[in-house]
Amino acid sequence: MTASHRDRRSGQPVFRFAPSPTGTLHIGHAYSALLNERLARETGGRLLLRIEDTDTTRCRPQFEASIIADLDWLGIAFDEPPRRQSDHFPLYDKAARTLRQKRLLYPCFASRSEIAEAVAHIEATGEAWPRDPDGSPHYPGIWRDAPDGEVAGRIAAGEPHAWRIDMARALDGVSVDDLAYEEFPDETATRTTRVSRDPSVWGDFVIVRKDAPASFHLAGVVDEDVQGVTDVVRGQDLAQATGLHRLLQHHLGLVPPRYRHHRLIAGEDGEKLSKSRGSLALAALREAGESARDIRARLGFAQAG
Ligand code: GLU
């Protein structure tokens, strides 16, 4: 373990579980939280809880309360009170300012339907338009090179806008090596390998949302730093996002934690779980009579003790 992977304050590894309160927790979240708990315990590290509620349109206080109740029921003890991202918007705004000063972000006034229309227009010509790892088409660049005067006028008039990363500019002069980081290949690995993930797969992704002062990507990298997180352990569905996070860390001058992307727990029908799928929600399992011990056993974790 290198010095950069020990918390600057305590010298201990620091893990975190970072749910978004856009729904209740299911068994896949339990797996992630329990894996973080186990790794923290095995390495003599600390475990933090971060509530990622930057998406003010979808996050609800009752989901936060149910998440905390479920984690408590599972018997997972965190070493600090939860950090709620919506309490720290000025901090993310400061990071966004740094990126804007480097001219790596540009404002985008386009609506979803304008973007969809522009993509449809391109595809109608027979051109294959790239999709990001989540399956959404890359931003078609509508506002990328807009005249400064028009942009300034719209901002001055208070027109709502997102801030997108100018991916080509952000990667200009940046080598694969600059974005390399330490990753554990799977949940059982005890050694990291040095890897790099290409952030350009995301296109000109939104870094500051139109309806919120940050995005989960920006707030997350800022918080890993502020909280002294040494080890990000999260699902494989976020593995590609790590490339984008590394790019943001690079431009913000932040030391990357180590990453570990764990397997996803599939639903009974083999499908990926989402918060909206009811039957494997922790609350439903609890009501069906399962104990926290049963859940731990089902997921391959011994009882806390
Ligand atoms: N808040 C994200 C989610 O619930 C997880 C982010 C992370 O672990 O980095 O999907």
Side-chain angles (χ1 to χ4, degrees), residues 23-293:
T24 57
L25 296 188
H26 57 61
I27 195 142
H29 296 108
Y31 182 77
S32 197
L34 289 167
L35 182 59
N36 272 283
E37 180 196 54
R38 175 156 80 193
L39 291 165
R41 198 177 54 233
E42 283 174 358
T43 58
R46 294 190 300 134
L47 180 60
L48 308 181
L49 174 61
R50 185 163 79 222
I51 302 295
E52 298 207 320
D53 59 349
T54 52
D55 183 348
T56 46
T57 60
R58 290 169 63 224
C59 294
R60 301 275 177 275
Q62 64 268 32
F63 290 136
E64 178 185 318
S66 86
I67 287 170
I68 290 173
D70 282 344
L71 292 169
D72 198 43
W73 175 73
L74 273 176
I76 300 180
F78 293 94
D79 290 297
E80 286 177 17
R83 175 182 176 89
R84 190 180 299 114
Q85 290 189 322
S86 60
D87 291 338
H88 301 281
F89 280 136
L91 197 61
Y92 313 134
D93 196 41
K94 191 169 155 224
R97 230 173 19 246
T98 302
L99 297 172
R100 285 202 300 271
Q101 278 159 1
K102 294 181 160 200
R103 304 204 45 182
L104 298 175
L105 303 184
Y106 63 88
C108 169
F109 304 91
S111 64
R112 268 173 204 273
S113 58
E114 281 168 335
I115 294 170
E117 224 171 274
V119 171
H121 193 72
I122 298 169
E123 289 184 331
T125 66
E127 190 184 328
W129 191 248
R131 297 290 193 269
D132 70 26
D134 289 342
S136 299
H138 281 196
Y139 177 68
I142 307 170
W143 285 93
R144 187 187 301 123
D145 300 310
D148 286 351
E150 172 159 11
V151 167
R154 285 182 183 241
I155 290 181
E159 196 174 317
H161 54 279
W163 289 88
R164 291 182 176 273
I165 191 158
D166 186 330
M167 189 55 80
R169 197 190 281 266
L171 284 174
D172 190 28
V174 175
S175 71
V176 168
D177 214 43
D178 293 331
L179 301 181
Y181 64 96
E182 301 292 322
E183 183 172 279
F184 292 94
D186 60 46
E187 47 258 77
T188 59
T190 53
R191 278 174 188 279
T192 56
T193 52
R194 204 158 167 76
V195 298
S196 194
R197 291 181 192 265
D198 181 4
S200 70
V201 296
W202 295 97
D204 285 6
F205 211 74
V206 170
I207 300 301
V208 179
R209 293 166 55 97
K210 198 186 262 193
D211 49 23
S215 66
F216 126 76
H217 302 287
L218 182 62
V221 298
V222 169
D223 279 356
E224 311 307 4
D225 182 63
V226 169
Q227 297 190 283
V229 170
T230 61
D231 287 84
V232 170
V233 178
R234 60 185 178 189
Q236 260 162 16
D237 52 340
L238 288 170
Q240 293 295 334
T242 300
L244 182 59
H245 298 173
R246 284 293 301 116
L247 185 62
L248 295 175
Q249 286 159 347
H250 173 76
H251 287 295
L252 292 169
L254 304 177
V255 176
R258 296 181 297 201
Y259 289 83
R260 186 186 302 252
H261 300 104
H262 61 72
R263 71 190 167 98
L264 299 179
I265 304 295
E268 266 143 16
D269 49 7
E271 271 179 40
K272 187 182 152 185
L273 295 172
S274 74
K275 289 202 185 77
S276 53
R277 294 172 68 80
S279 65
L280 291 171
L282 290 182
L285 293 168
R286 182 166 59 226
E287 272 155 37
E290 287 210 35
S291 67
R293 183 185 287 268

